[in-house]
Amino acid sequence: MARLDQLQSWVAETQSGNQAWPASWQWQLVSGDASFRKYYRVIKEDGTAIIAVDAPPEQENNPAFVALACHWREKGMRLPEILATNFEQGFLLVEDFGDVMLRDRLSAATVDGWYQQALALLPSLQQIDDCQDYPLPCYDRAMLERELEIFAEWFYRGLLQLPETSQTQHVWRELCKQLVQAMLEQPQVCIHRDFHSRNLMCLPEGRLGVIDFQGAVRGPVSYDVVSLIRDCYLRWPASQVMYWSEYAYGLLRQQQPSVLQDVSLTLWQRWLDLTGMQRHLKAIGIFARLHLRDGKSAYLQDIPRTLGYVLEQAQRYAEFQPFTHLLLDQVVPALRECSLISVEAQKDLTT
């Protein structure tokens, strides 16, 4: 509670010049997300609201968050305005984007219009150059391999407690090699790295606001596209996903002709599939780690849906047949037996 008191005192002093918390102000916990950050809505006596962020500096790179927010806003992206910072304590004040996530507005009737609007943000985002205060890290081989290891450590060996053999290790190494190669051979652009329906906010002016962008890197051109259209938290019909894939391909070729100039639609689809596999394997590992290490178990219910994506893409390619067998023979049965995951969530695992 001491840290919350410190945050409240800092916000009060920043906004009113006095460390005493005004009695007429309301203080609401908005979310404690999958990271170490916590967000609070501060509602003043005049009804206006701002967001206070508790982001411990030993766990969160707040200078990078602020640098990216300012730079991307200058480039025309709709990101929250940074109102005040305290890097030493890990406190921020930012513009309030409200409570309406894109996910809340999506239905079979509305999703196409919203997704086209979201995909239309990506050509501009991908062309943003590095800001002086925070050059984007490269999504290099070492980072990609570390992310894949999260799946092996926390999900395969951790949550499911499956044994590794020389054969399974060989299958895994071959899969990782091909996924990483597919991601590194793509044009490398500015990517959000968590571009999905929970990180896009529906703003009163009709635009989509972008949040949770501090993990941005310079990485594969297909990454943010697949993050959106194969969302870990929502699943849409395969025919619709294919349409959005082709729509994004045409949009990027039109607005960034040099990036995809010699890339066929077939190669683009392969890039999208393999990039999605890497992302979804990482996400599964993170969901398991949140439960096992951090005591945050709600994300376990998203594992079957996310694993379903991985299996679906693996089955499309002959070279991934050994990995498909590994999933069907060991991983899927073990997941089905996991009592921590509801029967309803298990229905999202399509085999």
Side-chain angles (χ1 to χ4, degrees):
M1 186 60 69
R3 186 162 177 83
L4 179 56
D5 291 338
Q6 292 172 2
L7 177 59
Q8 288 186 323
S9 295
W10 175 74
V11 172
E13 185 174 19
T14 301
Q15 296 297 295
S16 66
N18 190 323
Q19 289 188 348
W21 187 257
S24 59
W25 290 11
Q26 298 179 44
W27 182 270
Q28 302 172 350
L29 177 64
V30 177
S31 72
D33 67 4
S35 71
F36 293 94
R37 294 183 301 277
K38 291 183 179 179
Y39 299 87
Y40 300 89
R41 174 168 290 113
V42 180
I43 305 175
K44 302 181 186 179
E45 62 271 5
D46 62 359
T48 61
I50 52 178
I51 297 295
V53 185
D54 178 0
E58 59 271 18
Q59 276 101 20
E60 302 292 339
N61 189 345
N62 295 313
F65 177 90
V66 171
L68 285 174
C70 295
H71 186 61
W72 286 15
R73 278 175 60 87
E74 290 175 358
K75 298 297 181 179
M77 300 298 295
R78 189 68 174 94
L79 272 66
E81 181 182 359
I82 305 298
L83 305 174
T85 63
N86 184 327
F87 291 143
E88 182 178 351
Q89 291 184 283
F91 299 151
L92 305 172
L93 273 180
V94 303
E95 178 184 1
D96 184 7
F97 270 6
D99 291 321
V100 185
M101 294 183 291
L102 175 59
R103 187 187 68 165
D104 301 328
R105 292 285 180 85
L106 297 179
S107 67
T110 64
V111 64
D112 188 53
W114 281 114
Y115 270 30
Q116 288 191 33
Q117 183 177 344
L119 292 169
L121 299 176
L122 294 181
S124 296
L125 172 61
Q126 291 184 356
Q127 295 179 72
I128 296 178
D129 57 357
D130 282 353
C131 60
Q132 184 175 356
D133 295 334
Y134 183 68
L136 288 181
C138 291
Y139 217 168
D140 59 14
R141 182 179 301 275
M143 186 184 295
L144 293 168
E145 290 176 347
R146 281 198 305 271
E147 290 185 344
L148 286 164
E149 181 56 27
I150 298 172
F151 173 89
E153 177 182 357
W154 292 96
F155 178 67
Y156 187 86
R157 299 193 298 266
L159 184 69
L160 300 186
Q161 298 187 343
L162 288 169
E164 285 188 324
T165 66
S166 58
Q167 175 61 22
T168 61
Q169 288 177 343
H170 173 73
V171 170
W172 177 247
R173 284 196 302 269
E174 288 300 307
L175 172 79
C176 292
K177 182 169 67 175
Q178 293 183 75
L179 297 185
V180 170
Q181 179 57 39
M183 295 177 76
L184 293 178
E185 73 184 24
Q186 297 176 47
Q188 304 294 294
V189 297
C190 174
I191 62 173
H192 178 286
R193 198 156 154 247
D194 216 7
F195 192 82
H196 58 70
S197 62
R198 289 185 176 183
N199 288 335
L200 295 169
M201 306 298 292
C202 298
L203 304 180
E205 67 261 34
R207 296 179 64 184
L208 286 173
V210 180
I211 62 171
D212 208 14
F213 46 83
Q214 64 278 350
V217 295
R218 196 157 294 281
V221 65
S222 67
Y223 195 94
D224 284 344
V225 176
V226 76
S227 299
L228 179 72
I229 67 177
R230 293 193 182 123
D231 193 323
C232 294
Y233 309 110
L234 296 167
R235 189 178 180 95
W236 303 101
S239 59
Q240 204 160 16
V241 172
M242 180 62 71
Y243 169 77
W244 290 324
S245 170
E246 295 177 2
Y247 177 83
Y249 172 76
L251 196 66
L252 294 172
R253 278 176 62 90
Q254 180 183 30
Q255 298 192 32
Q256 298 187 87
S258 62
V259 174
L260 295 180
Q261 185 173 15
D262 299 319
V263 178
S264 67
L265 181 57
T266 300
L267 179 56
W268 163 258
Q269 187 60 49
R270 176 182 170 83
W271 283 350
L272 197 84
D273 289 343
L274 272 60
T275 299
M277 286 177 67
Q278 190 274 351
R279 172 176 167 76
H280 291 129
L281 288 165
K282 173 190 72 171
I284 292 167
I286 290 173
F287 295 156
R289 185 174 67 186
L290 284 167
H291 166 70
L292 294 171
R293 188 190 70 183
D294 304 328
K296 299 178 179 180
S297 302
Y299 294 92
L300 291 177
Q301 310 310 316
D302 299 305
I303 288 179
R305 181 187 311 108
T306 309
L307 185 63
Y309 284 133
V310 175
L311 182 59
E312 182 180 297
Q313 304 321 308
Q315 290 173 320
R316 292 188 60 180
Y317 297 92
E319 61 265 40
F320 297 140
Q321 189 175 47
F323 183 63
T324 298
H325 288 315
L326 176 61
L327 291 178
L328 292 175
D329 295 344
Q330 296 188 37
V331 175
V332 170
L335 186 62
R336 297 284 194 202
E337 294 298 317
C338 183
S339 61
L340 297 167
I341 299 176
S342 71
V343 174
E344 191 64 29
Q346 292 280 14
K347 294 177 181 177
D348 282 335
L349 177 52
T350 55
T351 57

